[in-house]
Amino acid sequence: EVQLVESGGGLVQPGGSLRLSCAASGFTFSSYEMNWVRQAPGKGLEWVSYISSSGSTIYYADSVKGRFTISRDNAKNSLYLQMNSLRAEDTAVYYCARDKTGYSSGWYRYFDLWGRGTLVTVSS
Amino acid sequence: SYVLTQPPSVSVAPGQTARITCGGNNIGSKSVHWYQQKPGQAPVLVVYDDSDRPSGIPERFSGSNSGNTATLTISRVEAGDEADYYCQVWDSSSDHPGVFGTGTKVTVL
């Protein structure tokens, strides 16, 4: 079955760290770019980070740049998000999402496969 | 950074047509994608590249994009279409290219 399964969420104090994992199965993980997307309670979706299939190209949202690090291990079919200096506003469900690329008038990307998410709560 | 604006809510009677807009500066020059999210569930892609549907998505879901507005249209609305809907673009000119719209809650009356 083609799926993504996130883990590693939990309760952490402000200023603390957490590492999220996303296990991929049912498809050739090493051929796909990947993303993290989060959703604060009762709020909309917020794109967090992107990593290319080889790991050579990485992007971050301004809200997490310098604090979060995306990485992947293609041998383990896994995506990671290292989160440091956590703040209350980082409280959210974190989803990993598979990236699909296409070209029409320009290059575009969308997210065709999502995990069920893992909840991160930053609170004292 | 690029901003996508959606109406907070849209209400529609069963069997009627719901139209959800997504506004952005010259959005017609970009490819727009749409996601449906039901409570407690992960988002699901319903339209990509303005108007294409993934396999398994009903033909009732369609999209268009021109000028400063992209639109997701749901025809013959059913109770099961009640959900939050988000538009999304990839702004390749930016260092933080992933952009989601503000989201629209569709209520079936």
Side-chain angles (χ1 to χ4, degrees):
Chain A
E1 180 186 3
V2 176
Q3 65 177 353
L4 298 168
V5 179
E6 301 93 338
S7 61
L11 175 63
V12 60
Q13 292 188 340
S17 298
L18 212 55
R19 189 197 196 204
L20 305 184
S21 299
C22 171
S25 58
F27 64 97
T28 306
F29 178 73
S30 60
S31 298
Y32 286 87
E33 294 92 342
M34 297 293 296
N35 295 264
W36 287 99
V37 176
R38 70 183 180 182
Q39 186 171 37
K43 302 298 184 181
L45 300 174
E46 179 187 14
W47 172 81
V48 172
S49 185
Y50 157 96
I51 187 168
S52 62
S53 57
S54 66
S56 60
T57 301
I58 287 173
Y59 300 112
Y60 296 102
D62 281 348
S63 57
V64 306
K65 197 166 187 177
R67 300 188 298 122
F68 290 11
T69 302
I70 191 172
S71 63
R72 64 190 297 160
D73 186 336
N74 288 338
K76 295 184 177 180
N77 293 329
S78 293
L79 175 71
Y80 305 103
L81 187 67
Q82 177 67 42
M83 305 186 296
N84 298 331
S85 303
L86 283 162
R87 307 165 180 168
E89 53 265 36
D90 296 318
T91 294
V93 173
Y94 285 74
Y95 297 99
C96 63
R98 191 175 72 176
D99 191 291
K100 204 72 182 294
T101 304
Y103 187 90
S104 54
S105 54
W107 289 102
Y108 60 79
R109 296 184 183 278
Y110 59 89
F111 313 123
D112 70 332
L113 178 67
W114 297 65
R116 297 183 67 177
T118 186
L119 176 62
V120 173
T121 303
V122 184
S123 175
S124 54
Chain B
S1 58
Y2 196 74
V3 176
L4 296 174
T5 302
Q6 300 179 233
S9 61
V10 167
S11 297
V12 59
Q16 299 304 303
T17 298
R19 293 180 179 84
I20 306 160
T21 58
C22 176
N25 184 34
N26 197 26
I27 196 174
S29 67
K30 301 182 182 298
S31 292
V32 180
H33 322 295
W34 292 90
Y35 303 86
Q36 175 194 70
Q37 186 182 34
K38 296 181 179 180
Q41 298 184 19
V44 172
L45 180 73
V46 293
V47 166
Y48 67 95
D49 192 19
D50 296 340
S51 58
D52 289 336
R53 279 184 312 277
S55 61
I57 300 301
E59 291 183 4
R60 301 185 298 103
F61 289 84
S62 62
S64 63
N65 184 18
S66 180
N68 291 317
T69 304
T71 303
L72 174 69
T73 301
I74 311 173
S75 304
R76 302 179 299 284
V77 166
E78 303 174 356
D81 298 331
E82 186 162 289
D84 294 324
Y85 292 83
Y86 297 90
C87 56
Q88 176 252 317
V89 301
W90 191 262
D91 184 10
S92 299
S93 65
S94 172
D95 285 340
H96 35 89
V99 183
F100 283 99
T102 50
T104 298
K105 168 68 175 178
V106 170
T107 300
V108 181
L109 301 171

mmCIF file of all heavy atoms in Angstrom, chain A residues 24-54:
data_model
loop_
_atom_site.group_PDB
_atom_site.id
_atom_site.type_symbol
_atom_site.label_atom_id
_atom_site.label_comp_id
_atom_site.label_asym_id
_atom_site.label_seq_id
_atom_site.Cartn_x
_atom_site.Cartn_y
_atom_site.Cartn_z
ATOM 1 N N ALA A 24 7.977 6.153 4.498
ATOM 2 C CA ALA A 24 7.299 5.969 3.218
ATOM 3 C C ALA A 24 7.295 4.496 2.822
ATOM 4 O O ALA A 24 8.270 3.782 3.076
ATOM 5 C CB ALA A 24 7.988 6.783 2.130
ATOM 6 N N SER A 25 6.214 4.057 2.203
ATOM 7 C CA SER A 25 6.142 2.681 1.724
ATOM 8 C C SER A 25 5.240 2.594 0.497
ATOM 9 O O SER A 25 4.376 3.447 0.297
ATOM 10 C CB SER A 25 5.623 1.744 2.825
ATOM 11 O OG SER A 25 4.351 2.161 3.267
ATOM 12 N N GLY A 26 5.474 1.576 -0.316
ATOM 13 C CA GLY A 26 4.629 1.328 -1.477
ATOM 14 C C GLY A 26 5.022 2.081 -2.729
ATOM 15 O O GLY A 26 4.347 1.953 -3.760
ATOM 16 N N PHE A 27 6.065 2.892 -2.673
ATOM 17 C CA PHE A 27 6.543 3.615 -3.851
ATOM 18 C C PHE A 27 8.053 3.841 -3.711
ATOM 19 O O PHE A 27 8.627 3.629 -2.646
ATOM 20 C CB PHE A 27 5.807 4.947 -4.039
ATOM 21 C CG PHE A 27 6.015 5.963 -2.942
ATOM 22 C CD1 PHE A 27 6.954 6.979 -3.070
ATOM 23 C CD2 PHE A 27 5.258 5.925 -1.773
ATOM 24 C CE1 PHE A 27 7.134 7.922 -2.072
ATOM 25 C CE2 PHE A 27 5.427 6.853 -0.771
ATOM 26 C CZ PHE A 27 6.384 7.857 -0.904
ATOM 27 N N THR A 28 8.680 4.246 -4.806
ATOM 28 C CA THR A 28 10.132 4.447 -4.806
ATOM 29 C C THR A 28 10.447 5.803 -4.202
ATOM 30 O O THR A 28 10.505 6.834 -4.898
ATOM 31 C CB THR A 28 10.686 4.338 -6.239
ATOM 32 O OG1 THR A 28 10.282 3.090 -6.815
ATOM 33 C CG2 THR A 28 12.217 4.406 -6.225
ATOM 34 N N PHE A 29 10.661 5.814 -2.900
ATOM 35 C CA PHE A 29 10.843 7.054 -2.134
ATOM 36 C C PHE A 29 11.963 7.910 -2.715
ATOM 37 O O PHE A 29 11.827 9.134 -2.807
ATOM 38 C CB PHE A 29 11.141 6.697 -0.672
ATOM 39 C CG PHE A 29 11.407 7.881 0.216
ATOM 40 C CD1 PHE A 29 10.380 8.719 0.610
ATOM 41 C CD2 PHE A 29 12.689 8.137 0.671
ATOM 42 C CE1 PHE A 29 10.618 9.801 1.442
ATOM 43 C CE2 PHE A 29 12.952 9.215 1.501
ATOM 44 C CZ PHE A 29 11.913 10.053 1.890
ATOM 45 N N SER A 30 13.046 7.299 -3.122
ATOM 46 C CA SER A 30 14.217 8.050 -3.576
ATOM 47 C C SER A 30 13.967 8.837 -4.854
ATOM 48 O O SER A 30 14.774 9.694 -5.225
ATOM 49 C CB SER A 30 15.398 7.096 -3.777
ATOM 50 O OG SER A 30 15.082 6.113 -4.748
ATOM 51 N N SER A 31 12.858 8.567 -5.542
ATOM 52 C CA SER A 31 12.536 9.268 -6.787
ATOM 53 C C SER A 31 11.685 10.510 -6.576
ATOM 54 O O SER A 31 11.405 11.243 -7.525
ATOM 55 C CB SER A 31 11.804 8.322 -7.751
ATOM 56 O OG SER A 31 12.617 7.230 -8.109
ATOM 57 N N TYR A 32 11.252 10.744 -5.344
ATOM 58 C CA TYR A 32 10.310 11.824 -5.090
ATOM 59 C C TYR A 32 10.892 12.909 -4.196
ATOM 60 O O TYR A 32 11.583 12.630 -3.215
ATOM 61 C CB TYR A 32 9.046 11.274 -4.419
ATOM 62 C CG TYR A 32 8.140 10.512 -5.347
ATOM 63 C CD1 TYR A 32 8.335 9.152 -5.577
ATOM 64 C CD2 TYR A 32 7.095 11.147 -6.012
ATOM 65 C CE1 TYR A 32 7.512 8.451 -6.438
ATOM 66 C CE2 TYR A 32 6.259 10.447 -6.866
ATOM 67 C CZ TYR A 32 6.477 9.105 -7.076
ATOM 68 O OH TYR A 32 5.649 8.406 -7.922
ATOM 69 N N GLU A 33 10.552 14.172 -4.547
ATOM 70 C CA GLU A 33 10.761 15.260 -3.624
ATOM 71 C C GLU A 33 9.699 15.165 -2.535
ATOM 72 O O GLU A 33 8.646 14.572 -2.738
ATOM 73 C CB GLU A 33 10.667 16.606 -4.354
ATOM 74 C CG GLU A 33 11.763 16.841 -5.362
ATOM 75 C CD GLU A 33 11.399 16.394 -6.774
ATOM 76 O OE1 GLU A 33 10.451 15.598 -6.927
ATOM 77 O OE2 GLU A 33 12.080 16.838 -7.713
ATOM 78 N N MET A 34 9.990 15.764 -1.387
ATOM 79 C CA MET A 34 9.081 15.655 -0.258
ATOM 80 C C MET A 34 8.939 17.008 0.445
ATOM 81 O O MET A 34 9.787 17.892 0.304
ATOM 82 C CB MET A 34 9.593 14.622 0.749
ATOM 83 C CG MET A 34 9.677 13.198 0.213
ATOM 84 S SD MET A 34 8.059 12.478 -0.158
ATOM 85 C CE MET A 34 7.314 12.421 1.468
ATOM 86 N N ASN A 35 7.855 17.132 1.204
ATOM 87 C CA ASN A 35 7.570 18.372 1.925
ATOM 88 C C ASN A 35 7.031 18.078 3.320
ATOM 89 O O ASN A 35 6.502 16.996 3.580
ATOM 90 C CB ASN A 35 6.503 19.188 1.170
ATOM 91 C CG ASN A 35 6.954 19.667 -0.184
ATOM 92 O OD1 ASN A 35 7.411 20.784 -0.343
ATOM 93 N ND2 ASN A 35 6.811 18.814 -1.195
ATOM 94 N N TRP A 36 7.145 19.074 4.186
ATOM 95 C CA TRP A 36 6.415 19.100 5.445
ATOM 96 C C TRP A 36 5.417 20.256 5.381
ATOM 97 O O TRP A 36 5.753 21.354 4.932
ATOM 98 C CB TRP A 36 7.354 19.299 6.631
ATOM 99 C CG TRP A 36 8.181 18.095 6.974
ATOM 100 C CD1 TRP A 36 9.481 17.867 6.623
ATOM 101 C CD2 TRP A 36 7.777 16.955 7.745
ATOM 102 N NE1 TRP A 36 9.897 16.650 7.117
ATOM 103 C CE2 TRP A 36 8.876 16.081 7.815
ATOM 104 C CE3 TRP A 36 6.594 16.591 8.392
ATOM 105 C CZ2 TRP A 36 8.824 14.864 8.510
ATOM 106 C CZ3 TRP A 36 6.541 15.396 9.072
ATOM 107 C CH2 TRP A 36 7.642 14.534 9.132
ATOM 108 N N VAL A 37 4.209 19.979 5.832
ATOM 109 C CA VAL A 37 3.135 20.976 5.904
ATOM 110 C C VAL A 37 2.540 20.877 7.301
ATOM 111 O O VAL A 37 2.382 19.774 7.825
ATOM 112 C CB VAL A 37 2.050 20.702 4.839
ATOM 113 C CG1 VAL A 37 0.883 21.690 4.980
ATOM 114 C CG2 VAL A 37 2.643 20.765 3.433
ATOM 115 N N ARG A 38 2.201 22.005 7.911
ATOM 116 C CA ARG A 38 1.626 21.960 9.251
ATOM 117 C C ARG A 38 0.296 22.685 9.305
ATOM 118 O O ARG A 38 -0.028 23.497 8.423
ATOM 119 C CB ARG A 38 2.597 22.534 10.276
ATOM 120 C CG ARG A 38 2.816 24.033 10.199
ATOM 121 C CD ARG A 38 3.857 24.466 11.234
ATOM 122 N NE ARG A 38 4.096 25.910 11.194
ATOM 123 C CZ ARG A 38 4.993 26.523 11.977
ATOM 124 N NH1 ARG A 38 5.728 25.831 12.839
ATOM 125 N NH2 ARG A 38 5.141 27.826 11.887
ATOM 126 N N GLN A 39 -0.441 22.391 10.366
ATOM 127 C CA GLN A 39 -1.753 23.003 10.567
ATOM 128 C C GLN A 39 -1.967 23.219 12.053
ATOM 129 O O GLN A 39 -2.134 22.259 12.815
ATOM 130 C CB GLN A 39 -2.846 22.122 9.986
ATOM 131 C CG GLN A 39 -4.228 22.734 10.021
ATOM 132 C CD GLN A 39 -5.235 21.911 9.224
ATOM 133 O OE1 GLN A 39 -5.182 20.683 9.216
ATOM 134 N NE2 GLN A 39 -6.157 22.585 8.547
ATOM 135 N N ALA A 40 -1.947 24.479 12.465
ATOM 136 C CA ALA A 40 -2.222 24.822 13.859
ATOM 137 C C ALA A 40 -3.686 24.520 14.176
ATOM 138 O O ALA A 40 -4.533 24.517 13.271
ATOM 139 C CB ALA A 40 -1.911 26.295 14.104
ATOM 140 N N PRO A 41 -4.000 24.263 15.429
ATOM 141 C CA PRO A 41 -5.380 23.915 15.802
ATOM 142 C C PRO A 41 -6.391 24.951 15.321
ATOM 143 O O PRO A 41 -6.259 26.138 15.617
ATOM 144 C CB PRO A 41 -5.321 23.858 17.327
ATOM 145 C CG PRO A 41 -3.902 23.540 17.646
ATOM 146 C CD PRO A 41 -3.088 24.230 16.594
ATOM 147 N N GLY A 42 -7.363 24.517 14.548
ATOM 148 C CA GLY A 42 -8.403 25.406 14.057
ATOM 149 C C GLY A 42 -7.968 26.370 12.964
ATOM 150 O O GLY A 42 -8.739 27.263 12.585
ATOM 151 N N LYS A 43 -6.759 26.205 12.455
ATOM 152 C CA LYS A 43 -6.216 27.121 11.451
ATOM 153 C C LYS A 43 -6.020 26.412 10.114
ATOM 154 O O LYS A 43 -6.319 25.239 9.959
ATOM 155 C CB LYS A 43 -4.881 27.703 11.936
ATOM 156 C CG LYS A 43 -4.970 28.435 13.263
ATOM 157 C CD LYS A 43 -5.898 29.644 13.194
ATOM 158 C CE LYS A 43 -5.898 30.424 14.505
ATOM 159 N NZ LYS A 43 -6.829 31.592 14.447
ATOM 160 N N GLY A 44 -5.501 27.169 9.140
ATOM 161 C CA GLY A 44 -5.307 26.638 7.813
ATOM 162 C C GLY A 44 -3.975 25.912 7.644
ATOM 163 O O GLY A 44 -3.184 25.792 8.581
ATOM 164 N N LEU A 45 -3.754 25.440 6.428
ATOM 165 C CA LEU A 45 -2.519 24.748 6.107
ATOM 166 C C LEU A 45 -1.375 25.738 5.901
ATOM 167 O O LEU A 45 -1.564 26.805 5.310
ATOM 168 C CB LEU A 45 -2.700 23.930 4.818
ATOM 169 C CG LEU A 45 -3.787 22.857 4.844
ATOM 170 C CD1 LEU A 45 -3.949 22.247 3.449
ATOM 171 C CD2 LEU A 45 -3.471 21.796 5.865
ATOM 172 N N GLU A 46 -0.194 25.371 6.382
ATOM 173 C CA GLU A 46 1.004 26.196 6.200
ATOM 174 C C GLU A 46 2.138 25.305 5.695
ATOM 175 O O GLU A 46 2.535 24.358 6.368
ATOM 176 C CB GLU A 46 1.427 26.876 7.504
ATOM 177 C CG GLU A 46 2.676 27.716 7.353
ATOM 178 C CD GLU A 46 3.216 28.253 8.672
ATOM 179 O OE1 GLU A 46 2.783 27.775 9.739
ATOM 180 O OE2 GLU A 46 4.078 29.146 8.640
ATOM 181 N N TRP A 47 2.659 25.596 4.531
ATOM 182 C CA TRP A 47 3.816 24.884 4.012
ATOM 183 C C TRP A 47 5.031 25.213 4.893
ATOM 184 O O TRP A 47 5.242 26.368 5.259
ATOM 185 C CB TRP A 47 4.070 25.279 2.573
ATOM 186 C CG TRP A 47 5.341 24.738 2.018
ATOM 187 C CD1 TRP A 47 5.565 23.483 1.517
ATOM 188 C CD2 TRP A 47 6.587 25.415 1.936
ATOM 189 N NE1 TRP A 47 6.866 23.350 1.124
ATOM 190 C CE2 TRP A 47 7.528 24.526 1.370
ATOM 191 C CE3 TRP A 47 7.016 26.698 2.280
ATOM 192 C CZ2 TRP A 47 8.858 24.872 1.145
ATOM 193 C CZ3 TRP A 47 8.338 27.056 2.050
ATOM 194 C CH2 TRP A 47 9.237 26.137 1.488
ATOM 195 N N VAL A 48 5.833 24.189 5.225
ATOM 196 C CA VAL A 48 6.958 24.356 6.137
ATOM 197 C C VAL A 48 8.303 24.210 5.426
ATOM 198 O O VAL A 48 9.194 25.053 5.595
ATOM 199 C CB VAL A 48 6.876 23.343 7.299
ATOM 200 C CG1 VAL A 48 8.127 23.373 8.155
ATOM 201 C CG2 VAL A 48 5.630 23.618 8.145
ATOM 202 N N SER A 49 8.463 23.114 4.651
ATOM 203 C CA SER A 49 9.784 22.847 4.086
ATOM 204 C C SER A 49 9.684 21.864 2.931
ATOM 205 O O SER A 49 8.746 21.072 2.851
ATOM 206 C CB SER A 49 10.718 22.294 5.171
ATOM 207 O OG SER A 49 12.043 22.124 4.691
ATOM 208 N N TYR A 50 10.691 21.930 2.048
ATOM 209 C CA TYR A 50 10.809 21.073 0.861
ATOM 210 C C TYR A 50 12.222 20.515 0.787
ATOM 211 O O TYR A 50 13.192 21.202 1.138
ATOM 212 C CB TYR A 50 10.508 21.896 -0.386
ATOM 213 C CG TYR A 50 11.097 21.344 -1.678
ATOM 214 C CD1 TYR A 50 10.335 20.544 -2.513
ATOM 215 C CD2 TYR A 50 12.407 21.645 -2.064
ATOM 216 C CE1 TYR A 50 10.868 20.036 -3.690
ATOM 217 C CE2 TYR A 50 12.943 21.137 -3.243
ATOM 218 C CZ TYR A 50 12.165 20.344 -4.057
ATOM 219 O OH TYR A 50 12.695 19.850 -5.224
ATOM 220 N N ILE A 51 12.336 19.273 0.309
ATOM 221 C CA ILE A 51 13.643 18.686 0.047
ATOM 222 C C ILE A 51 13.584 17.916 -1.271
ATOM 223 O O ILE A 51 12.625 17.183 -1.534
ATOM 224 C CB ILE A 51 14.110 17.784 1.211
ATOM 225 C CG1 ILE A 51 15.552 17.319 1.002
ATOM 226 C CG2 ILE A 51 13.172 16.594 1.411
ATOM 227 C CD1 ILE A 51 16.169 16.669 2.242
ATOM 228 N N SER A 52 14.603 18.088 -2.094
ATOM 229 C CA SER A 52 14.658 17.382 -3.366
ATOM 230 C C SER A 52 14.935 15.895 -3.144
ATOM 231 O O SER A 52 15.262 15.471 -2.038
ATOM 232 C CB SER A 52 15.725 18.003 -4.262
ATOM 233 O OG SER A 52 17.007 17.883 -3.666
ATOM 234 N N SER A 53 14.829 15.121 -4.200
ATOM 235 C CA SER A 53 14.978 13.673 -4.074
ATOM 236 C C SER A 53 16.372 13.270 -3.579
ATOM 237 O O SER A 53 16.512 12.302 -2.835
ATOM 238 C CB SER A 53 14.680 12.989 -5.408
ATOM 239 O OG SER A 53 15.514 13.501 -6.429
ATOM 240 N N SER A 54 17.378 14.016 -3.960
ATOM 241 C CA SER A 54 18.749 13.711 -3.529
ATOM 242 C C SER A 54 19.123 14.401 -2.220
ATOM 243 O O SER A 54 20.147 14.077 -1.617
ATOM 244 C CB SER A 54 19.746 14.152 -4.603
ATOM 245 O OG SER A 54 19.744 15.555 -4.726
#
